Amino acid sequence: MSNKNKTLGEFIIENQNDFQYSSGELSRIINSIRLAAKVVNYKVNKAGLVDIVGAVGEQNIQGEDQQKLDVYANEVFIQTLINREIVCGIASEENDDFITIEGSDKSNSNKYVVLMDPLDGSSNIDVNVSVGTIFSVYRRITPLGTPVTLADFLQPGVNQVAAGYVIYGTSTMLVYTTGHGVNGFTLNPAIGTFYLSHPNMRFPENGSIYSVNEGNYRQFPQGVKDYIKYCQMEEEDRPYTSRYIGSLVSDIHRNMIKGGIYLYPTSSKSPKGKLRLLYECNPLAFVVEQAGGKASDGKNRIMELQPTELHQRIPFFCGSKNMVDTLEKFML
Ligand code: AHM
Ligand code: MG
């Protein structure tokens, strides 16, 4: 079948046999994420109307519109996955601890855990800037039939079986990988269907965009300072262009299409870095690598790091392969 007008639902069915342990569960997880993304998208798009709707008395009786959107998104993703009884555990950037799901028959018989950042960059909502959802799927390592443990969540990124993001932007997209390349789907909001719009996405090997919060410049490690100066130098292909939205998914998505590097180094404000290994860095690293890009903590491959805690933060450098290679040389 050609890619023309192919929907995400059709794509999932067609590619189900790509999964190493194909039993349909992973497809059902992606389907649940697709559904939750549509629900959250609807709410995110109405965000600017909340005050107006409230003023004319259309706010619902529970005061639902007052709920913070990141809390709402967290509930939608968790409830959708729980209701469908397809995962045995969920860890979210919004929750201190992981959630154990035993299923209505109390059998703990599901194989997968999902880790997610349900609404990243949510402070951007107030100013009408794009936000995103990031997700990551692993097979549990503890025996089926027992409750999940922390060990099921503290797996290195190389163990991911699927990962992706939703970007709620000028259009809403779902981009994901199951280890067979990266595909992007754009939501047609009129009929609520995601269509394959970006088949086999490739991260350009080189780029001319660097994305970093330069307000923290004085606190960065010397290697990062030197690299930023390198980006700004007048050479054949430089200075690079600086673009920083401050919304991780959007910055990575743009760089994946145009070519560029994203940097969130350590600083005295964030001595370990700001971004979370499990909810942000590993899933984005999997997507970026599958598209031919690279993700590093400055020295090591992100996906090979052994996590030590659920909310662990790390420095994150991610983007066009040759740009990240150069950055790493500055970090030696
Ligand atoms: P959050 O998970 O609290 O939303 O924070 C993550 C966000 C990323 O989307 C973004 O890249 C980064 O924080 C921006 O941080 P800063 O404002 O320090 O540049
Ligand atoms: Mg976040």
Side-chain angles (χ1 to χ4, degrees):
M1 187 180 165
S2 86
N3 282 336
K4 215 169 172 203
N5 291 332
K6 186 175 290 177
T7 67
L8 174 54
E10 288 163 350
F11 183 89
I12 290 171
I13 293 167
E14 270 174 40
N15 291 280
Q16 188 160 312
N17 293 333
D18 280 353
F19 307 144
Q20 200 183 344
Y21 315 94
S22 177
S23 62
E25 274 167 287
L26 192 50
S27 299
R28 288 170 60 213
I29 293 172
I30 305 287
N31 261 321
S32 302
I33 289 169
R34 169 181 71 158
L35 174 64
K38 285 195 256 187
V39 175
V40 171
N41 174 65
Y42 177 71
K43 197 82 165 184
V44 165
N45 273 303
K46 282 202 318 178
L49 288 170
V50 167
D51 291 341
I52 299 165
V53 173
V56 295
E58 286 179 20
Q59 199 176 29
N60 78 15
I61 203 154
Q62 290 88 12
E64 225 177 34
D65 282 331
Q66 300 296 344
Q67 190 178 30
K68 282 184 70 190
L69 268 166
D70 45 6
V71 177
Y72 175 80
N74 194 39
E75 282 173 12
V76 170
F77 277 95
I78 290 175
Q79 274 314 321
T80 308
L81 289 164
I82 289 181
N83 290 347
R84 294 188 162 199
E85 299 194 10
I86 39 178
V87 294
C88 52
I90 301 172
S92 164
E93 197 191 283
E94 290 285 329
N95 298 13
D96 291 341
D97 212 346
F98 64 86
I99 301 168
T100 305
I101 302 161
E102 53 187 10
S104 48
D105 60 357
K106 313 247 181 275
S107 66
N108 291 295
S109 59
N110 291 320
K111 295 199 270 293
Y112 294 101
V113 294
V114 170
L115 290 84
M116 62 177 180
D117 183 352
L119 205 63
D120 182 72
S122 51
S123 59
N124 283 315
I125 294 254
D126 291 345
V127 288
N128 213 346
V129 167
S130 303
V131 289
T133 296
I134 309 169
F135 63 90
S136 177
V137 184
Y138 294 81
R139 276 173 74 87
R140 64 181 302 175
I141 52 174
T142 51
L144 280 184
T146 61
V148 282
T149 71
L150 185 58
D152 292 310
F153 298 92
L154 297 186
Q155 299 189 51
V158 286
N159 289 3
Q160 289 173 102
V161 292
Y165 59 81
V166 184
I167 176 167
Y168 310 95
T170 42
S171 54
T172 293
M173 283 188 70
L174 195 157
V175 175
Y176 79 100
T177 182
T178 54
H180 300 270
V182 179
N183 290 282
F185 301 82
T186 301
L187 181 66
N188 177 343
I191 53 174
T193 303
F194 280 102
Y195 285 96
L196 178 61
S197 52
H198 295 62
N200 192 21
M201 293 176 80
R202 300 302 299 165
F203 216 120
E205 280 198 355
N206 294 295
S208 57
I209 295 174
Y210 72 105
S211 311
V212 61
N213 184 343
E214 272 183 271
N216 298 328
Y217 180 86
R218 286 166 64 92
Q219 307 175 357
F220 288 157
Q222 191 57 43
V224 175
K225 286 182 175 170
D226 293 343
Y227 179 72
I228 292 174
K229 286 294 156 223
Y230 165 89
C231 294
Q232 297 169 343
M233 229 171 259
E234 287 185 27
E235 293 289 339
E236 216 176 308
D237 60 337
R238 286 169 277 150
Y240 296 153
T241 298
S242 166
R243 290 282 181 273
Y244 189 70
I245 300 169
S247 191
L248 181 62
V249 170
S250 315
D251 278 310
I252 300 281
H253 182 73
R254 180 206 49 241
N255 289 358
M256 184 150 75
I257 289 173
K258 296 196 161 181
I261 183 170
Y262 176 92
L263 308 95
Y264 210 109
T266 56
S267 65
S268 36
K269 207 161 71 185
S270 317
K272 295 181 173 167
K274 177 182 181 187
L275 300 176
R276 321 273 179 142
L277 174 58
L278 296 181
Y279 311 116
E280 293 162 328
C281 304
N282 266 336
L284 291 172
F286 190 23
V287 170
V288 164
E289 282 196 10
Q290 280 294 314
K294 179 167 174 168
S296 160
D297 68 354
K299 291 190 168 62
N300 311 292
R301 184 179 173 210
I302 291 289
M303 292 216 291
E304 285 175 11
L305 298 174
Q306 174 57 54
T308 53
E309 51 181 309
L310 275 182
H311 293 274
Q312 185 174 351
R313 297 176 194 269
I314 45 156
F316 189 51
F317 306 96
C318 168
S320 292
K321 185 179 173 310
N322 293 342
M323 297 178 90
V324 179
D325 282 345
T326 304
L327 174 276
E328 281 185 337
K329 290 192 190 117
F330 279 89
M331 302 295 283
L332 287 175

